[in-house]
Structure formats: structure tokens, C-alpha cells
Amino acid sequence: MEQSEVVKRVVGILTEAGEMRRLLEENPESDAPDTDSTVVTALLNETMPRIAIPEDATVEDVVVLVGREVGGAVEQLVGAFTLAFAMLAQVHDAGQMDVTSADVLQDLALRAEQFGAEGPDETDL
């Protein structure tokens, strides 16, 4: 999955979490809204590579194989969440009261196409 798609999916997850928080703030007496983890599970299933482990593989072989194959996918996910956090923190630290977290996430989703397969660099923030 390209980094731009991972960023968009992370924005969706964070937007959904913000909406759940808003609903709880509006009605604190209500039960917690359903936390549908299927979006997170779907993202993990689409991001993580399928790994074929040979029958004769040793534990050490499996560790090396999984580390090599899964490392890049984890790096993509962490990078997308880190980027979203950094952008939200930048607006917060600047004291921009007229910009909501939803505005920041929407801007990030729109700019995600610029990131391509490699991800953003420092000038994208």
C-alpha cells in the first residue's frame, strides 16, 4: 500500500475517534459509542505483508524473515500516525484557536497525494 493511502486511512481512524469523543462529550451519561475496530483491523490486514515461512525454517530464520517483511509496514503505519500527531501538535502549539483538529486532518488527507510511495519529507509539514 502506498504511503499516501496509509495516511488517508490513518486520518479516517483519527477522525472517527474524534467523532466518538465529541459524542461522549455531548452526552456523558450515554453508554460509550460502539468502537468498531474493523477499520483498524482492515488497515493492518491491508498493510501487513503475507509471509510464507518455509517448513524447515528455524526460529531464528522466522525472526529474521518476519522482521524484514513486517518492518517496512510498521514503519509506514508509525510514520502516518507520527505525521498526523506532528501536524495536530503544530497547530495546537501555535495557539491557532480558529483551526480545529478536524480541519488539520482534512488538510492532511488532501495533501496525502503529494506524499507518494515514499512518504512526506520535512517540507510537507
Side-chain angles (χ1 to χ4, degrees):
M1 181 180 294
E2 285 195 18
Q3 187 67 21
S4 61
E5 183 62 27
V6 174
V7 169
K8 288 180 198 175
R9 300 286 293 276
V10 165
V11 166
I13 290 168
L14 294 174
T15 301
E16 184 177 315
E19 180 64 15
M20 289 177 5
R21 179 195 50 81
R22 186 188 63 76
L23 290 172
L24 283 173
E25 285 178 354
E26 285 179 359
N27 191 359
E29 305 298 319
S30 72
D31 292 333
D34 290 335
T35 53
D36 186 8
S37 64
T38 58
V39 291
V40 174
T41 302
L43 177 61
L44 289 173
N45 286 335
E46 292 172 17
T47 306
M48 294 298 154
R50 303 285 182 239
I51 303 171
I53 299 175
E55 288 183 29
D56 62 341
T58 66
V59 172
E60 292 81 15
D61 293 339
V62 172
V63 168
V64 169
L65 180 63
V66 170
R68 183 179 62 230
E69 296 297 319
V70 174
V74 169
E75 192 174 302
Q76 259 190 326
L77 289 169
V78 170
F81 276 104
T82 301
L83 175 63
F85 173 82
M87 290 184 72
L88 289 163
Q90 184 178 35
V91 170
H92 174 272
D93 292 349
Q96 296 178 340
M97 302 300 289
D98 59 330
V99 179
T100 67
S101 59
D103 294 335
V104 174
L105 292 173
Q106 183 179 28
D107 179 59
L108 177 56
L110 293 172
R111 293 172 52 192
E113 287 302 318
Q114 300 169 357
F115 303 152
E118 295 301 314
D121 61 29
E122 306 85 45
T123 60
D124 290 322
L125 293 179

